[in-house]
Amino acid sequence: MFIIRYGETAPDGYRHMSEEEMAEDFLALDNNNNYMISKNEWMINFIKMLEKDLPALEEEGPDAIMGKIEELSKEFDKIDTDGNSEIDFLEYQEFLEKNIFISK
């Protein structure tokens, strides 16, 4: 299990991801194996993860699905700190170290 807490220290019962875990996660998102995550790769991977939630989102109305897509796009833009439309490992690592915690 993981949680997202922007800019905070790890809460009790959670830890930062190891560098190895971050690298594995990064490579899983890099569909074309060029060691960069494009916005398309980002969106495709996370939309696939949301697939099970689509029926519930559909019930909320058409704006709910678009809202999730916009949220994913904005998250990508936050991580892409140099604004080159790709996330490199250092950008990804910095984001995870500051914001993502997994259970111990």
Side-chain angles (χ1 to χ4, degrees), residues 73-94:
S73 179
K74 286 178 184 176
E75 192 70 31
F76 178 92
D77 293 340
K78 270 195 238 176
I79 299 168
D80 178 25
T81 57
D82 64 7
N84 70 347
S85 298
E86 294 183 310
I87 297 172
D88 62 37
F89 181 71
L90 294 177
E91 289 171 318
Y92 192 70
Q93 182 180 27
E94 181 180 352

Side-chain angles (χ1 to χ4, degrees), residues 2 44-60 65 68:
F2 72 95
I44 288 167
N45 280 294
F46 284 96
I47 288 171
K48 284 179 184 177
M49 286 186 220
L50 288 173
E51 186 176 7
K52 66 178 177 27
D53 297 330
L54 287 178
L57 288 170
E58 224 173 275
E59 286 181 21
E60 290 180 34
I65 293 171
K68 282 290 184 190

